[in-house]
Amino acid sequence: METRILTCIGCPLGCALTAVPAAEGYDISGYTCKRGLEYAKKELTRPARTVTSTVRVTGGVANVTSVRTATDVPKDAIWAVMAAINALEVAAPIAIGDVLCEDIAGTGVALTATKTVKVK
Ligand code: SF4
């Protein structure tokens, strides 16, 4: 293991975090609040992100709806998630919070709409 420098994405402050290898895991410093420590621990062991994008809509007043994964997905699954999102097409009406896919790209995470699209 080697020293890792991370930037916390918990808020716009973007604290610079340093993770130095220790006997058990890493000694983490540079965080201003507990969220930074939690972010660093997660980033070092199981990096994951929420994915936001758009999905094609047919028969609606708009051609797309914005979407996001209900929770974080593993970072190494993001490309597969994006490919699945790009292949998805749903029919209007769509309401905010609608689940458009129960298990996006086999991650076990749902994909939900973040924009309402009424029928044309
Ligand atoms: S450590 Fe806390 S204050 Fe610093 S960027 Fe992360 S969330 Fe913001």
PDB file of all heavy atoms in Angstrom, residues 8 14 24 38 50 71 82 100 118:
ATOM      1  N   CYS A   8     -12.100  15.118  -0.916  1.00  0.00           N
ATOM      2  CA  CYS A   8     -13.436  14.774  -0.433  1.00  0.00           C
ATOM      3  C   CYS A   8     -14.479  15.419  -1.348  1.00  0.00           C
ATOM      4  O   CYS A   8     -14.366  16.594  -1.705  1.00  0.00           O
ATOM      5  CB  CYS A   8     -13.639  15.246   1.002  1.00  0.00           C
ATOM      6  SG  CYS A   8     -15.293  14.846   1.632  1.00  0.00           S
ATOM      7  N   GLY A  14     -14.241  20.637  -0.587  1.00  0.00           N
ATOM      8  CA  GLY A  14     -13.267  19.766  -1.241  1.00  0.00           C
ATOM      9  C   GLY A  14     -11.985  19.552  -0.446  1.00  0.00           C
ATOM     10  O   GLY A  14     -10.880  19.707  -0.978  1.00  0.00           O
ATOM     11  N   GLU A  24      -3.182  -1.352  10.469  1.00  0.00           N
ATOM     12  CA  GLU A  24      -4.510  -1.843  10.058  1.00  0.00           C
ATOM     13  C   GLU A  24      -5.159  -0.792   9.175  1.00  0.00           C
ATOM     14  O   GLU A  24      -5.730   0.162   9.666  1.00  0.00           O
ATOM     15  CB  GLU A  24      -5.372  -2.119  11.288  1.00  0.00           C
ATOM     16  CG  GLU A  24      -4.928  -3.344  12.050  1.00  0.00           C
ATOM     17  CD  GLU A  24      -5.829  -3.638  13.232  1.00  0.00           C
ATOM     18  OE1 GLU A  24      -7.009  -3.263  13.206  1.00  0.00           O
ATOM     19  OE2 GLU A  24      -5.320  -4.244  14.185  1.00  0.00           O
ATOM     20  N   GLU A  38     -15.448   9.289   6.526  1.00  0.00           N
ATOM     21  CA  GLU A  38     -16.248   8.187   5.974  1.00  0.00           C
ATOM     22  C   GLU A  38     -16.017   8.050   4.467  1.00  0.00           C
ATOM     23  O   GLU A  38     -15.908   6.945   3.945  1.00  0.00           O
ATOM     24  CB  GLU A  38     -17.741   8.401   6.268  1.00  0.00           C
ATOM     25  CG  GLU A  38     -18.085   8.348   7.746  1.00  0.00           C
ATOM     26  CD  GLU A  38     -17.564   7.105   8.433  1.00  0.00           C
ATOM     27  OE1 GLU A  38     -17.708   6.007   7.867  1.00  0.00           O
ATOM     28  OE2 GLU A  38     -16.981   7.228   9.522  1.00  0.00           O
ATOM     29  N   THR A  50     -22.938   7.713  -7.118  1.00  0.00           N
ATOM     30  CA  THR A  50     -24.287   7.826  -7.662  1.00  0.00           C
ATOM     31  C   THR A  50     -24.128   8.226  -9.121  1.00  0.00           C
ATOM     32  O   THR A  50     -23.311   9.082  -9.443  1.00  0.00           O
ATOM     33  CB  THR A  50     -25.072   8.912  -6.908  1.00  0.00           C
ATOM     34  OG1 THR A  50     -25.197   8.520  -5.546  1.00  0.00           O
ATOM     35  CG2 THR A  50     -26.462   9.094  -7.516  1.00  0.00           C
ATOM     36  N   THR A  71     -29.026   4.529  -5.171  1.00  0.00           N
ATOM     37  CA  THR A  71     -27.898   4.590  -4.229  1.00  0.00           C
ATOM     38  C   THR A  71     -26.611   4.568  -5.062  1.00  0.00           C
ATOM     39  O   THR A  71     -26.654   4.485  -6.290  1.00  0.00           O
ATOM     40  CB  THR A  71     -27.887   3.355  -3.281  1.00  0.00           C
ATOM     41  OG1 THR A  71     -27.735   2.171  -4.080  1.00  0.00           O
ATOM     42  CG2 THR A  71     -29.163   3.277  -2.462  1.00  0.00           C
ATOM     43  N   MET A  82     -23.967   3.043 -17.380  1.00  0.00           N
ATOM     44  CA  MET A  82     -24.226   4.044 -18.423  1.00  0.00           C
ATOM     45  C   MET A  82     -24.691   3.379 -19.722  1.00  0.00           C
ATOM     46  O   MET A  82     -25.581   3.887 -20.402  1.00  0.00           O
ATOM     47  CB  MET A  82     -22.979   4.889 -18.678  1.00  0.00           C
ATOM     48  CG  MET A  82     -22.732   5.968 -17.637  1.00  0.00           C
ATOM     49  SD  MET A  82     -24.167   7.051 -17.391  1.00  0.00           S
ATOM     50  CE  MET A  82     -24.406   7.696 -19.041  1.00  0.00           C
ATOM     51  N   LEU A 100     -37.502   3.286 -13.051  1.00  0.00           N
ATOM     52  CA  LEU A 100     -37.476   2.975 -14.488  1.00  0.00           C
ATOM     53  C   LEU A 100     -36.774   1.649 -14.747  1.00  0.00           C
ATOM     54  O   LEU A 100     -36.939   1.055 -15.806  1.00  0.00           O
ATOM     55  CB  LEU A 100     -36.781   4.100 -15.251  1.00  0.00           C
ATOM     56  CG  LEU A 100     -37.377   5.503 -15.035  1.00  0.00           C
ATOM     57  CD1 LEU A 100     -36.667   6.523 -15.904  1.00  0.00           C
ATOM     58  CD2 LEU A 100     -38.871   5.516 -15.278  1.00  0.00           C
ATOM     59  N   LYS A 118     -44.928  14.551 -18.842  1.00  0.00           N
ATOM     60  CA  LYS A 118     -46.339  14.247 -19.095  1.00  0.00           C
ATOM     61  C   LYS A 118     -46.529  13.721 -20.525  1.00  0.00           C
ATOM     62  O   LYS A 118     -45.670  13.913 -21.377  1.00  0.00           O
ATOM     63  CB  LYS A 118     -47.168  15.525 -18.883  1.00  0.00           C
ATOM     64  CG  LYS A 118     -47.161  15.985 -17.437  1.00  0.00           C
ATOM     65  CD  LYS A 118     -47.990  17.221 -17.240  1.00  0.00           C
ATOM     66  CE  LYS A 118     -47.990  17.577 -15.767  1.00  0.00           C
ATOM     67  NZ  LYS A 118     -48.571  18.885 -15.490  1.00  0.00           N
TER      68      LYS A 118
END
